[in-house]
Amino acid sequence: MKSMKEILQRCRTWYCSLQPSYVLVFGYTFFVLAVFLLLCLPICWKVESVPLIDTLFTAVAVVSTCGLQTVNFADTYNGLGHFVALLGIQAGGLGFMTLGSWIILSSKAHLPKKRLQIGKAILAMPEFFDPRRFFRHIVIFTLSIELFGTLILWILFRSADVPYPLWAAVFHSVTAFCTAGISIFPNNLESFSDHTSITLTIALLSLLGGIGFIVMDDLCRSIKQRSLRTTLTTRIILAATFGCVLAGTLFLFFDPHIAEFSLKKRLLTAFFQTVSAATTAGFNTMPVGCLASATMVIVIILMIMGASPSGTGGGLKSTTWSAALATVMSFFRGREEITFFNCTVPHSRTTAAFASITLYMITFAAGTYCLLCSDSHSFENIVFEVASALGTVGWSHGITPELSAAGKIVVMLLMFIGRLGIIALALGAVALYHDISHDTDESEETVSPPIQESDIVL
């Protein structure tokens, strides 16, 4: 028994010595392996067999909340397989540390200091947010929004005569909020391209997931304080998100293929596809490959820009490219001080933003090069595939099932990196979260000071 205690103590010491980013890697790897092993069971299949590499690909896509698939998900896996995937999507969208923290908080125990560190890294939490309250609110927001989405979609799916409407509602409510883009319908949501209520509900759930928990928490705080004043981070996220959606909808509205639709369907399709790309949700109500090459450029830009920090989406994050944009604007104005919404942006934040953008583009270029070496598809299709995988979007020109084994491995790595985040992996979450080392002991009760205007997360 003594030797077992020593082993456990050594494991605990080793665990506490790890940087938060490494724990994130191990945690998500564990989720991928768990989903992979479960999906390997024949009782999860509709078909006779599924190749191991395709099963692994599905597991990585599920936990990464990326809709890319080498097999038709709806036709390959049965209800049990869909349920396993849904659990993986929920875990990947919420974050394994958030789920673990909720269990601890529910038992009224203190949240360990190490867990707070990892939570800050995974959620890109602002410096002055109370982590314990924030963790609670994340689970409350998630369950409330997914329940609301389930009720609405259940009513809509029933009216549309969808088989097993309740299960379809639960699955798509979770996958939409977690911006996973995976559907139990063989053609994704193309059958509902004319159904305004269903597409708008899915779009709303994706927007809420993409906007992130920081905005929700901040808005709730403002409502409780009866103040319309929000943090600079919230204003940047909302302006960036809805600005991208408006601009993207305008560009897609004039796509030659979408222009063939009626005015109502044209506007609905352009809006839905834009939301799906900007939030990295990855749902589609039309074949993505039908879009014109010029439109594809806009879509790729939206996928790279991505969702917002502390949300369920991927990509660069709205605050990152917004900070870089503010720097460029200040440069052209000849000002050394960088401002956004009349507030000063700290130099450390703009430095981190450019570092994140640089690392993201290096990874993007490396992924494109490797995929071009392993597969013989066109350059346009490869670039689109890499942007979709790294942004955890899940759109494809149809080349995903045709990828070689090496190509599938490259895409899996891109999805995994995109889920964890470039900066967290490259810098070990040290430079951006330097304040972690100055945290007080876990047994101390601290009171969070007011959120500062300059507290921008990346």
Side-chain angles (χ1 to χ4, degrees):
M1 182 64 68
K2 183 178 179 180
S3 60
M4 180 60 68
K5 286 184 178 180
E6 290 178 354
I7 294 174
L8 292 175
Q9 182 62 35
R10 288 183 181 180
C11 291
R12 184 177 184 277
T13 303
W14 173 78
Y15 169 80
C16 292
S17 67
L18 290 175
Q19 289 292 344
S21 59
Y22 301 149
V23 182
L24 295 183
V25 172
F26 293 143
Y28 274 106
T29 301
F30 171 78
F31 272 132
V32 169
L33 291 177
V35 173
F36 168 71
L37 292 175
L38 290 173
L39 289 181
C40 282
L41 299 175
I43 57 174
C44 294
W45 305 341
K46 280 185 180 179
V47 295
E48 291 185 1
S49 64
V50 182
L52 285 178
I53 192 167
D54 291 329
T55 305
L56 180 60
F57 193 101
T58 300
V60 174
V62 161
V63 176
S64 301
T65 65
C66 181
L68 288 175
Q69 294 293 323
T70 55
V71 296
N72 189 303
F73 179 78
D75 292 335
T76 302
Y77 298 100
N78 57 25
L80 180 59
H82 296 165
F83 179 72
V84 170
L86 187 66
L87 293 179
I89 290 170
Q90 186 74 90
L94 266 180
F96 76 97
M97 292 308 300
T98 310
L99 296 174
S101 299
W102 174 250
I103 294 173
I104 292 178
L105 289 172
S106 298
S107 63
K108 299 182 180 180
H110 288 293
L111 198 62
K113 180 180 177 180
K114 186 70 178 182
R115 194 168 290 269
L116 288 180
Q117 293 177 350
I118 301 168
K120 285 184 178 181
I122 196 171
L123 297 172
M125 198 180 303
E127 182 179 355
F128 296 106
F129 264 50
D130 180 359
R132 294 169 175 83
R133 182 177 63 87
F134 195 48
F135 281 133
R136 290 190 185 97
H137 285 186
I138 285 177
V139 178
I140 293 172
F141 290 146
T142 300
L143 295 180
S144 300
I145 292 171
E146 290 178 351
L147 179 60
F148 172 78
T150 296
L151 292 175
I152 300 299
L153 289 176
W154 182 32
I155 296 172
L156 296 175
F157 283 149
R158 283 186 63 187
S159 64
D161 294 326
V162 173
Y164 308 106
L166 180 57
W167 170 238
V170 171
F171 190 93
H172 288 88
S173 179
V174 173
T175 54
F177 182 71
C178 292
T179 64
I182 299 175
S183 175
I184 58 174
F185 303 129
N187 60 350
N188 207 276
L189 298 179
E190 292 180 24
S191 300
F192 306 100
S193 59
D194 288 321
H195 203 301
T196 305
S197 300
I198 291 178
T199 52
L200 289 181
T201 301
I202 296 291
L204 176 61
L205 290 169
S206 300
L207 276 172
L208 291 174
I211 286 173
F213 301 107
I214 289 176
V215 174
M216 298 181 200
D217 191 77
D218 190 27
L219 292 177
C220 286
R221 179 187 57 82
S222 299
I223 292 173
K224 288 181 180 179
Q225 296 178 355
R226 297 181 180 180
S227 171
L228 297 177
R229 186 74 171 173
T230 58
T231 62
L232 178 60
T233 298
T234 296
R235 279 175 276 162
I236 289 177
I237 289 174
L238 292 177
T241 300
F242 291 108
C244 284
V245 170
L246 180 62
T249 301
L250 183 63
F251 277 107
L252 266 68
F253 184 80
F254 292 102
D255 178 81
H257 182 76
I258 296 179
E260 297 176 358
F261 301 151
S262 63
L263 181 60
K264 173 189 172 183
K265 184 177 179 180
R266 184 180 178 185
L267 183 61
L268 185 64
T269 303
F271 171 75
F272 185 85
Q273 301 303 126
T274 299
V275 169
S276 193
T279 62
T280 71
F283 287 107
N284 61 282
T285 56
M286 61 167 286
V288 180
C290 294
L291 296 174
S293 296
T295 308
M296 287 296 182
V297 175
I298 302 300
V299 171
I300 290 174
I301 292 173
L302 289 173
M303 291 193 296
I304 291 175
M305 293 170 108
S308 299
S310 297
T312 58
L316 269 176
K317 307 301 183 185
S318 56
T319 48
T320 299
W321 61 261
S322 294
L325 179 62
T327 305
V328 174
M329 292 171 61
S330 296
F331 172 79
F332 282 115
R333 291 172 183 170
R335 298 177 181 175
E336 293 186 3
E337 186 180 55
I338 301 170
T339 59
F340 215 101
F341 290 119
N342 297 321
C343 296
T344 301
V345 179
H347 178 69
S348 60
R349 299 299 186 181
T350 58
T351 302
F354 279 105
S356 180
I357 292 172
T358 302
L359 291 170
Y360 195 95
M361 297 315 296
I362 290 174
T363 306
F364 183 90
T368 302
Y369 174 80
C370 292
L371 209 55
L372 284 170
C373 290
S374 64
D375 290 80
S376 58
H377 299 286
S378 69
F379 180 77
E380 178 181 329
N381 289 347
I382 292 291
V383 169
F384 192 87
E385 192 83 4
V386 171
S388 179
L390 190 58
T392 67
V393 180
W395 279 355
S396 176
H397 278 192
I399 70 171
T400 312
E402 302 172 5
L403 293 174
S404 63
K408 292 175 183 178
I409 292 174
V410 171
V411 173
M412 281 190 281
L413 288 174
L414 290 172
M415 290 191 294
F416 194 78
I417 292 172
R419 175 70 275 181
L420 293 180
I422 301 295
I423 285 291
L425 287 175
L427 303 182
V430 174
L432 293 181
Y433 306 104
H434 181 68
D435 58 298
I436 291 175
S437 61
H438 304 295
D439 283 349
T440 56
D441 187 76
E442 62 189 76
S443 60
E444 295 180 13
E445 293 294 331
T446 58
V447 179
S448 299
I451 299 173
Q452 303 298 314
E453 280 294 320
S454 61
D455 189 27
I456 305 174
V457 292
L458 301 168

